[in-house]
Amino acid sequence: MDDVLRDRLIKILEERFSGDSSGHDLQHTLRVYRLSMTIHESEGGDMDIIQLASLLHDVDDRKLFEQGNETFAVTTMRNLGCDENTISKVIGIISKISFKGTDTEIPDSLEGRIVQDADRLDAIGAIGIARAFAYGGSKGRSMHNPEEKPQLDMDSEKYFSNKGTTVNHFYEKLLLLRNMMNTETGRRLAEDRHSYMEGFLEEFFEEWNGKK
């Protein structure tokens, strides 16, 4: 993807995610793009497909947008002059990116696995913590309720209808992602981010319980 096309796409995304305060804003997309490029440097893959899929991975997210007959991603790529083979590959990746509990899928292509790892990396670590609480707050969810236990092993229907606390979300998804990375680079990058979350939760519970 040349710089002109990428800049046109980013302008479209800026409008698409305008006003988002749930942690799924344009900056999240750009971080996933940069992480995808970092992983690509070590793992390979078709750069154009990785760029398109990383930049468009959230434009039809069911948590953010109503679903239409033709996805925003398809319309955007056609307007940008992408060929149908490219569109098909990118849509195939986007359809399998999201975490869906026990129904989570692994993309068929290396490009898809790279973008999925990048998206997962942005869900963990310091930024992942910030995004989790931003999303919970945007949905009116409590930070923590000791009486409410995490729901484990949810299928996609239960996961998407779950309205639990933000702290429970760590156990229902975020702490699981390190072991779900597809690439060696993704696994390496996930280690420090995972450890950071564990340290955060330890501190959180000590402060919550008045220990320090």
Side-chain angles (χ1 to χ4, degrees):
M1 183 194 305
D2 62 42
D3 292 347
V4 173
L5 185 62
R6 187 186 62 235
D7 290 346
R8 284 179 60 197
L9 178 51
I10 289 173
K11 281 292 186 183
I12 293 169
L13 298 176
E14 187 175 8
E15 182 176 350
R16 181 68 165 169
F17 295 114
S18 176
D20 181 88
S21 59
S22 74
H24 296 81
D25 56 4
L26 175 64
Q27 294 307 316
H28 160 64
T29 291
L30 294 178
R31 289 192 302 271
V32 171
Y33 169 77
R34 291 192 292 268
L35 281 164
S36 294
M37 292 298 96
T38 296
I39 298 171
H40 163 72
E41 289 175 5
S42 298
E43 304 289 339
D46 185 320
M47 181 183 289
D48 286 343
I49 298 297
I50 293 169
Q51 288 179 317
L52 281 168
S54 61
L55 289 169
L56 291 166
H57 80 279
D58 260 352
V59 297
D60 293 296
D61 191 319
R62 61 185 288 182
K63 299 188 299 293
L64 309 174
F65 305 108
E66 295 182 5
Q67 305 303 298
N69 292 328
E70 182 176 88
T71 67
F72 187 87
V74 169
T75 301
T76 299
M77 283 188 283
R78 285 185 177 147
N79 289 341
L80 291 173
C82 297
D83 62 77
E84 292 301 317
N85 183 50
T86 295
I87 292 172
S88 177
K89 288 180 179 179
V90 172
I91 294 303
I93 291 171
I94 292 172
S95 68
K96 295 185 177 182
I97 288 292
S98 295
F99 181 85
K100 303 169 187 172
T102 57
D103 293 325
T104 298
E105 299 176 87
I106 298 174
D108 301 322
S109 65
L110 171 60
E111 293 81 9
R113 294 191 289 272
I114 286 172
V115 177
Q116 188 177 65
D117 278 4
D119 189 39
R120 288 172 173 174
L121 285 167
D122 202 56
I124 60 178
I127 286 177
I129 292 169
R131 290 183 64 218
F133 285 98
Y135 184 79
S138 75
K139 298 297 181 181
R141 299 179 184 177
S142 300
M143 285 198 306
H144 179 50
N145 179 352
E147 303 301 318
E148 185 178 326
K149 304 303 179 186
Q151 298 186 49
L152 305 178
D153 300 319
M154 291 182 283
D155 60 18
S156 60
E157 182 178 354
K158 290 179 181 177
Y159 176 75
F160 285 116
S161 63
N162 180 33
K163 302 184 185 303
T165 69
T166 297
V167 167
N168 280 354
H169 185 62
F170 282 80
Y171 299 95
E172 295 163 348
K173 175 186 176 182
L174 306 187
L175 292 171
L176 307 178
L177 295 180
R178 177 185 62 175
N179 292 332
M180 297 176 72
M181 293 293 162
N182 301 301
T183 66
E184 182 60 35
T185 307
R187 286 187 285 272
R188 175 176 58 80
L189 294 173
E191 285 297 329
D192 285 346
R193 294 182 184 229
H194 183 88
S195 296
Y196 191 91
M197 291 193 301
E198 290 181 320
F200 167 80
L201 288 170
E202 182 179 346
E203 177 73 15
F204 181 94
F205 289 125
E206 287 193 0
E207 293 182 12
W208 185 276
N209 293 316
K211 299 297 184 182
K212 59 185 297 188

